[in-house]
Amino acid sequence: MSTIPVMIPWLGEEEAQAAAEAVRSGWVAQGPRVAEFERAFAEHLGVPHAVAVSSCTTALHLALIGAGVGPGDEVVVPSLSFIATANAVTYLGGTPVFADVDPASGNLTAATVAPLLTDRTKAVVAVDQGGVPVDLDPIRALVEPRGATVVEDAACAAGALYQGRPAGSTAALAAYSFHPRKLLTTGEGGMLTCQDGELAARLRRLREHGMSVSAADRHAGGGAGVLETYDEIGFNYRMTDIQAAIGLVQLGKLPAMVGRRRELAARYRELLGPLGERLVADPAHGTGNFQSCWLLLPDDAPDRGELLARLAADGISARRGIMASHLETPYKGTGRVPLPATELITRRSIILPLYHSLTEQQQDTVIVALLAALS
C-alpha cells in the first residue's frame, strides 16, 4: 500500500536548474545569490532588512543577541513549540520562562504572558505556531514599555498574514525556517528580518565569525588591500548560494503554495463534519498558511498512539501534535505556572497530511481512515 506522507516539499525542475546554475557559476558559498535572496525576501515582507542564515535556530540565536539577552536574563516563550525556541535562550545563558497558549490557536497571548513578566524579563519570543499568526500587537503593547523586546518566531509562518501584512513583518526581529517541513524550503536554512539597519549590519557580521568585511566583498574587491578585523566573537551561520538559488524559486511559488494548502484545509474542515470545529483555523486577526494542519482529538478518541498506528496501517503518515518543551528532559521541573492548554494540545492533537500535491482522492482516503479509526 502506498503511503500518504504528512508533508512533501514542492520542489521541481526549476529548483534543480537554479541549484545547478549556482554550482556552474563557481560560487557555491555565501555570495551574490544569498544577497539577492535577502533583497527579495525583504521586499516580499515589506521590511528593510533580511539576513540569510543556516537555520531558523541560528536566526533565533542572533535575534536574541540583537535583543540584548545574556546570562541571568529571562525570556518568556511558549512551551508549545519546537524545542529550538527555548534552546536559543539557553545558548545565551538566559532562562526560558514557559507561558501557556490560547487553546484555539496554540499561540501566546498578552494574557498568558503578563503573569510571567519580571524586572529580569529581557525579551518575549512569540511563535506563529503551525503557521497561525500570533496576535503580536497586544503582546508588544504589554512588553515594550518595560524595555523588553518581542522577537517573532515565524519559523512556520511564511505566507501567513497578520492584519493584512505578512506575518513577522511588524516585529522588531523575526526568524523564519526553510526546513523541508515548511512551505518555502531551501533544504536547511533560515532568515532573520530586522527593522534597524545598524543592527542588521552587526548580525550579518556575527553570522560570519564577526568578520568586518564579508568573504563576498573581499572577493569582489579582488582581495587586494582589504584586511578584515574581528571585533567580537561570531559564528558560522552562513547560507550557501546553492540554497539561496533554490529559495528564490520557492519564494516565487509561495502564493500558490499557500492558496492550495488553504483550499485543502477548508476541504478537511468541510468533510470532517462534527470534528471540524476542532481543526486549527484562522484567527480573527489574520490568516494562516496551514504549515501544519493539526486536529484536536475528541474526548472519547482512542489512544493517540493506537490511532496513529491504525492510520499507518492504512498507508497514512500522520504525526503526533506539537511538542511541549517543558515536558522534555532539559526543561522538566522549570515551569513557574500551570500550562493546561499547552498540555491538552500536546497530548491530544495530531497533524494531518497536507502538502501542495495532495490530491482530493488522497485526502478522501485520509478522512475515511481517520473517521474509521476514531469510531
Side-chain angles (χ1 to χ4, degrees):
M1 181 181 295
S2 61
T3 298
I4 300 174
V6 73
M7 169 61 178
I8 302 174
W10 186 22
L11 295 166
E13 185 59 30
E14 194 176 355
E15 285 88 351
Q17 289 181 4
E21 287 170 9
V23 171
R24 284 193 291 266
S25 76
W27 196 297
V28 295
Q30 179 181 285
R33 286 173 177 80
V34 169
E36 183 182 356
F37 186 31
E38 289 175 334
R39 289 190 295 269
F41 196 80
E43 182 178 352
H44 168 78
L45 291 180
V47 298
H49 307 284
V51 181
V53 290
S54 55
S55 70
C56 186
T57 305
T58 58
L60 280 172
H61 186 195
L62 291 178
L64 291 172
I65 291 173
V69 174
D73 290 329
E74 295 180 351
V75 179
V76 178
V77 301
S79 171
L80 192 76
S81 182
F82 185 55
I83 201 167
T85 305
N87 286 350
V89 179
T90 306
Y91 296 160
L92 293 166
T95 300
V97 178
F98 294 116
D100 208 6
V101 295
D102 168 59
S105 68
N107 288 337
L108 293 184
T109 68
T112 65
V113 169
L116 297 168
L117 299 176
T118 72
D119 57 4
R120 294 172 60 192
T121 303
K122 194 71 173 182
V124 173
V125 180
V127 177
D128 300 305
Q129 189 51 254
V132 177
V134 64
D135 195 2
L136 196 67
D137 287 351
I139 298 174
R140 290 178 61 184
L142 174 70
V143 171
E144 290 178 349
R146 303 172 65 99
T149 301
V150 178
V151 173
E152 189 165 352
D153 181 343
C156 301
L161 297 176
Y162 174 58
Q163 296 182 348
R165 294 186 59 186
S169 64
T170 63
L173 293 153
Y176 298 81
S177 172
F178 303 141
H179 183 272
R181 282 285 301 273
K182 308 303 187 286
L183 275 73
L184 192 166
T185 184
T186 59
E188 289 284 0
M191 192 75 76
L192 170 60
T193 59
C194 181
Q195 306 289 340
D196 181 87
E198 288 188 13
L199 180 56
R202 181 190 175 208
L203 297 175
R204 285 198 177 92
R205 292 192 299 270
L206 287 175
R207 74 170 170 192
E208 196 168 6
H209 302 286
M211 197 182 301
S212 62
V213 181
S214 72
D217 288 342
R218 291 202 316 276
H219 283 281
V226 181
L227 297 176
E228 74 278 9
T229 60
Y230 300 84
D231 298 321
E232 59 181 320
I233 294 173
F235 312 91
N236 184 359
Y237 286 173
R238 292 171 292 194
M239 176 182 281
T240 70
D241 260 28
I242 299 171
Q243 292 170 299
I246 295 169
L248 283 162
V249 176
Q250 288 272 290
L251 186 60
K253 294 163 70 169
L254 183 59
M257 293 184 206
V258 174
R260 178 59 177 159
R261 293 174 82 96
R262 289 184 58 80
E263 287 175 3
L264 290 166
R267 194 166 184 271
Y268 267 134
R269 179 173 299 282
E270 177 185 358
L271 296 180
L272 282 173
L275 295 176
E277 75 279 10
R278 294 176 179 265
L279 194 74
V280 66
D282 289 334
H285 51 265
T287 57
N289 63 7
F290 287 93
Q291 184 271 327
S292 289
C293 188
W294 58 270
L295 178 78
L296 194 65
L297 297 171
D299 295 341
D300 59 352
D303 173 79
R304 184 174 62 179
E306 179 184 342
L307 184 145
L308 291 174
R310 290 181 188 177
L311 292 176
D314 288 331
I316 296 161
S317 179
R319 292 286 185 272
R320 71 167 190 169
I322 305 151
M323 69 177 292
S325 299
H326 79 284
L327 300 179
E328 300 299 323
T329 299
Y331 299 111
K332 271 185 179 175
T334 63
R336 296 186 184 174
V337 296
L339 305 174
T342 296
E343 294 184 3
L344 174 69
I345 293 171
T346 200
R347 186 177 69 250
R348 284 183 32 207
S349 61
I350 63 170
I351 296 173
L352 300 176
L354 186 64
Y355 46 90
H356 189 82
S357 59
L358 184 73
T359 67
E360 292 187 357
Q361 182 178 5
Q362 289 173 317
Q363 193 177 31
D364 289 342
T365 299
V366 173
I367 291 167
V368 169
L370 175 62
L371 292 176
L374 286 172
S375 65

